[in-house]
Amino acid sequence: QVQVVESGGGLVQAGDSLRLSCTVSGLPFDDYAMAWFRRVPGEGETSEGGPREGVACISTSGGTTRYGNSLQGRFIISRDNSKDTVFLQMSLLQPDDTATYYCAIKSGYNPDRCLSLNENTYNFWGQGTQVTVSS
């Protein structure tokens, strides 16, 4: 059984930093690209939840990364394949960064590659970790 567990969220002030972690079990972690997404409550929300915004993805080796609009430079994605864990280092946090952050495993074709931040190309989502940034 595949498990994806995020941690590291919390309440911080604007300008602070946080590092999120996501640990995966139940599959060969270093065979899959990984990504972080976020969802802001209430935005386009249905009974199944609203759309997730792509934050960052990383290839199996860590050699390729992609970031969502305006996030590169403040957010850094990395992974430690020896620990089956992917990280998201967030700095200069702003109130607009308040969201639930999710980790997901790449699915379908080219599972090892970080090609896009389309949430439909990712599978096995965690429960999310809440990040709240106060002004």
Side-chain angles (χ1 to χ4, degrees):
Q1 181 181 359
V2 177
Q3 289 191 315
V4 179
V5 180
E6 302 99 336
S7 62
L11 173 63
V12 297
Q13 293 185 329
D16 285 351
S17 299
L18 269 180
R19 188 174 83 154
L20 306 183
S21 300
C22 169
T23 300
V24 174
S25 61
L27 51 67
F29 179 76
D30 52 5
D31 284 353
Y32 294 90
M34 298 293 299
W36 287 95
F37 291 81
R38 65 186 183 184
R39 175 187 283 152
V40 177
E43 287 190 356
E45 194 159 350
T46 67
S47 59
E48 296 179 347
R52 296 181 180 99
E53 175 190 2
V55 174
C57 66
I58 186 168
S59 63
T60 51
S61 67
T64 300
T65 56
R66 294 182 186 271
Y67 293 89
N69 293 337
S70 303
L71 296 178
Q72 189 165 9
R74 292 196 302 123
F75 289 14
I76 300 174
I77 188 171
S78 62
R79 63 191 294 160
D80 185 342
N81 288 343
S82 70
K83 297 180 179 179
D84 295 347
T85 300
V86 61
F87 303 99
L88 184 67
Q89 179 69 47
M90 305 184 294
S91 59
L92 298 174
L93 285 163
Q94 300 301 316
D96 285 349
D97 295 317
T98 295
T100 302
Y101 285 73
Y102 298 90
C103 177
I105 303 170
K106 180 77 181 300
S107 62
Y109 293 110
N110 299 311
D112 58 322
R113 299 177 64 185
C114 162
L115 297 176
S116 78
L117 290 170
N118 180 342
E119 65 173 305
N120 294 320
T121 62
Y122 290 85
N123 201 352
F124 298 116
W125 297 83
Q127 292 299 306
T129 185
Q130 179 66 36
V131 173
T132 303
V133 185
S134 63
S135 58

